[in-house]
Amino acid sequence: MQPDGRGSVAFLLAQLGAHAAALFTERVAALDLTPAQAGLLRLITVMPGRSQQAYAERLGVPPSRFVNLVDELESRDLVERRRGEPDRRSYALHLTTQGQAVMRDIGAVGRAHEDDLCADLTAAERQTLRELLGRIADQHGLLPGVHPGYRRE
Amino acid sequence: MQPDGRGSVAFLLAQLGAHAAALFTERVAALDLTPAQAGLLRLITVMPGRSQQAYAERLGVPPSRFVNLVDELESRDLVERRRGEPDRRSYALHLTTQGQAVMRDIGAVGRAHEDDLCADLTAAERQTLRELLGRIADQHGLLPGVHPGYRRE
DNA sequence: TATTGTTATACTCTATAACTATA
DNA sequence: TATAGTTATAGAGTATAACAATA
């Protein structure tokens, strides 16, 4: 523990990260989504039309689990599987119109989440914080938008 | 996603938190410990001699799981159960001499972990980061030294 | 009767690997 | 024969609740 009694950067990151993730889980639950589902919707938004394999690999999720994730979203008409062309073994994933609408809701949830979390910081302080955290993320090779703890949500 | 393409503070916290936790898991595994075991050893160091119930409540771990945690540490002679006085239903927990030695190893691991994580930041930047993170942690009522994600490690 | 700690059990989540269809 | 996706299954980890000892 450090002189201020709050702990190291590493511990604060782990502690706040878990807290932020738990808050986000609650918030997207209001949209009847898990964080994993929300994350996949976002990824498809950013890079649409890829194969399931491509998304699964990027997220670090084993195929067997990924199928389930897509099944849930497809059964709710948020995501559409389209047979691959010309390789008909694969499926390309796309958001439906409903999926795009839900994606906008997720964006609103994300902004509320951010404001709640940083409520006590000024705009300048948030910017400083984002820069410092971004530097660490860069240095450790973390992909923007890909949650490492994704592997179990 | 933010203009710099790295994401919001909230997302960076969740992402880096999971990454930091994963790195720490690897490091303490070298001591043949899980993060949960290391966390309990630390808690007993800070406030020794309390009842199992007191520790379990503080960590937010259900009693049935806590028993297991103590069993593992006791079987390795790192922690000792002492019958409560005068209430003989309870057990007070203490570190053994071996447990104290392991606790020193955990401290060394923690410092290496911190240095690795913050390698690219100056001392002043680390301090700034710790202050900003500490403010958020305070605001959200997080207890120093208590990992929320503790509930499943 | 209530409380501390323990044990039993059922449930959820996961990865591994077998399987189907296309190539 | 190899690959994309799917399904089956067995294992790990968890919380709930029944239990034993002490108050």
Side-chain angles (χ1 to χ4, degrees), chain B residues 17-67:
Chain B
H19 182 67
L23 281 182
F24 185 72
T25 299
E26 278 180 33
R27 285 184 182 274
V28 293
L31 300 175
D32 199 20
L33 291 172
T34 65
Q37 291 169 338
L40 177 54
L41 289 176
R42 170 165 56 179
L43 186 58
I44 298 176
T45 302
V46 176
M47 38 183 273
R50 314 298 177 88
S51 70
Q52 297 192 185
Q53 189 172 256
Y55 294 117
E57 188 185 1
R58 171 125 184 165
L59 294 175
V61 173
S64 64
R65 204 174 131 205
F66 191 80
V67 166

Side-chain angles (χ1 to χ4, degrees), chain A residues 8-20 129 133 136, chain B residues 12-21 113-114 117-118 129 133 147:
Chain A
S8 63
V9 166
F11 188 85
L12 279 164
L13 280 178
Q15 191 183 33
L16 280 171
H19 182 67
L129 186 51
L133 295 177
I136 299 181
Chain B
L12 280 164
L13 281 177
Q15 192 183 31
L16 281 170
H19 182 67
H113 179 49
E114 177 82 353
L117 207 68
C118 299
L129 187 50
L133 295 177
H147 198 298

Side-chain angles (χ1 to χ4, degrees), chain B residues 89-127:
Chain B
R89 285 175 305 183
S90 66
Y91 284 107
L93 300 186
H94 295 268
L95 292 196
T96 63
T97 307
Q98 259 196 71
Q100 291 166 14
V102 167
M103 197 54 222
R104 284 189 287 276
D105 294 338
I106 294 174
V109 160
R111 283 185 293 277
H113 179 49
E114 177 82 353
D115 283 341
D116 178 23
L117 207 68
C118 299
D120 272 10
L121 302 186
T122 66
E125 287 170 334
R126 295 186 197 193
Q127 180 57 23

Side-chain angles (χ1 to χ4, degrees), chain A residues 42-94:
Chain A
R42 169 165 56 180
L43 186 58
I44 298 176
T45 301
V46 176
M47 36 184 276
R50 314 299 178 86
S51 71
Q52 296 191 187
Q53 190 173 257
Y55 295 117
E57 189 186 358
R58 170 125 185 165
L59 294 174
V61 173
S64 64
R65 204 174 131 205
F66 191 79
V67 166
N68 230 324
L69 209 51
V70 177
D71 283 349
E72 293 159 357
L73 295 175
E74 192 188 35
S75 71
R76 288 168 59 183
D77 276 320
L78 303 180
V79 161
E80 188 191 346
R81 281 178 168 104
R82 294 187 201 156
R83 270 291 178 196
E85 285 296 339
D87 187 341
R88 293 174 44 76
R89 286 175 304 184
S90 66
Y91 285 108
L93 300 187
H94 295 269

